[in-house]
Amino acid sequence: MKTPPSRTLFLSGMDVKLYPDPESASIAAAMLIEQVIVDARAKRGKAVLGLATGSTPRRVYAHLVARHRAGELSFRDVSTYNLDEYYPIAANDPLSYHTYMYDNLFKFIDLAPERAHLLDGTISEGLAGAHAGLFERSIEADGGLDAQLLGIGRNGHIGFNEPSDLTPEAAIKLGTRLVELHPTTRSDAAAEFGSVERVIPRALTLGIATILSARSIIMLATGPHKAEAVAGALLGPATAQLPASLLSYAAARTTWLIDHAAARGLE
Ligand code: PGA
């Protein structure tokens, strides 16, 4: 059931919609994605989605699957590109984002397997740069991302673009690449991996430049643990120390969907 936002704010040039709980924020995200698919299909005969992993988007995928099962939504002419993948990791590893996407979305919908693109965690290190470049060129050749779904890390990361000392101007030019995970990211992944020492310390991530080039960006943030990063990104300056704040460079194309717990710092 769709719930209307309980409040809409306009912060750093971005639409920010507040919802009472994670469920209603996630339904709103799923409905936005569905609308993007419908509009892009009408305009170009296909839709290209940038997808995210983590705990936040699970509910979004559950709603998209429900819409598909109800016969209301097809992914036949959709292509998807995922934000990131651990490195190194095998696609069939239970902790890979390949596995996550298959388990949460792909196995339930009519998306053609060859249209579901993920960065390859088995590529040799010497070829990682070329692989990242090829991934970006595939997105371009597909006509660019109609929508990029994002979550926010507790440290403000988007994808695995972690906090850095770069100037904002340099950070927004970052391309798809192999990166080291930030200590906060590793600690947040510890439960999944069994301990912080077992978290794979590197990853391949879509660059900030590629994220910002999407025709629409949907940022979904839920839970009290996200409140500080959300407030910093929406109320503070654009800084590479808090990568989500750099979404203000694509302000007119970005929508934040936030539950009340994550919005606590905005009051
Ligand atoms: P989460 O991760 O959804 O698991 O909280 C979000 C992120 O790190 O982007």
Side-chain angles (χ1 to χ4, degrees):
M1 259 295 274
K2 190 190 175 193
T3 312
S6 53
R7 256 176 96 188
T8 299
L9 309 173
F10 190 63
L11 296 171
S12 299
M14 294 179 275
D15 278 326
V16 180
K17 298 186 169 154
L18 309 190
Y19 292 87
D21 47 50
E23 181 70 5
S24 50
S26 303
I27 292 175
M31 293 186 70
L32 266 183
I33 291 170
E34 181 170 341
Q35 194 58 50
V36 164
I37 294 172
V38 169
D39 291 348
R41 183 181 285 146
K43 222 180 270 174
R44 298 191 296 127
K46 65 175 184 178
V48 182
L49 302 178
L51 299 180
T53 49
S55 58
T56 315
R58 280 188 208 275
R59 284 190 175 90
V60 180
Y61 298 140
H63 289 297
L64 292 173
V65 168
R67 293 285 295 159
H68 175 68
R69 285 193 167 143
E72 302 286 346
L73 177 63
S74 167
F75 293 81
R76 257 188 340 265
D77 38 18
V78 172
S79 300
T80 65
Y81 291 86
N82 261 81
L83 260 183
D84 44 24
E85 178 58 285
Y86 289 108
Y87 182 87
I89 197 164
N92 65 359
D93 188 299
L95 293 168
S96 80
Y97 289 157
H98 283 72
T99 300
Y100 172 106
M101 289 309 303
Y102 182 74
D103 286 347
N104 286 281
L105 183 65
F106 296 159
K107 74 177 173 193
F108 300 114
I109 60 174
D110 58 344
L111 177 73
E114 68 274 14
R115 290 194 191 211
H117 307 273
L118 286 101
L119 287 153
D120 181 358
T122 67
I123 200 86
S124 71
E125 193 163 346
L127 290 177
H131 173 61
L134 195 59
F135 199 76
E136 292 193 339
R137 286 199 296 284
S138 304
I139 294 174
E140 280 163 29
D142 233 339
L145 299 170
D146 290 299
Q148 175 65 59
L149 177 64
L150 291 177
I152 186 171
R154 273 195 309 126
N155 62 3
H157 76 191
I158 47 176
F160 281 131
N161 292 282
E162 302 285 20
S164 77
D165 292 330
L166 292 174
T167 62
E169 292 71 27
I172 62 169
K173 293 197 185 98
L174 285 171
T176 300
R177 67 204 186 285
L178 186 59
V179 295
E180 302 271 337
L181 300 189
H182 187 270
T184 303
T185 303
R186 291 178 64 179
S187 115
D188 284 350
E192 260 175 283
F193 280 86
S195 73
V196 77
E197 293 74 30
R198 284 157 78 172
V199 176
I200 296 174
R202 290 193 294 170
L204 291 159
T205 186
L206 216 63
I208 295 179
T210 320
I211 292 170
L212 293 179
S213 70
R215 282 187 280 283
S216 63
I217 299 171
I218 301 163
M219 164 60 91
L220 178 63
T222 58
H225 58 303
K226 300 296 176 68
E228 194 179 332
V230 166
L234 288 170
L235 303 178
T239 166
Q241 286 292 348
L242 199 61
S245 67
L246 300 171
L247 294 175
S248 61
Y249 280 86
R253 289 176 279 117
T254 300
T255 304
W256 288 67
L257 306 171
I258 312 177
D259 76 344
H260 284 173
R264 215 174 39 194
L266 300 178
E267 304 300 336

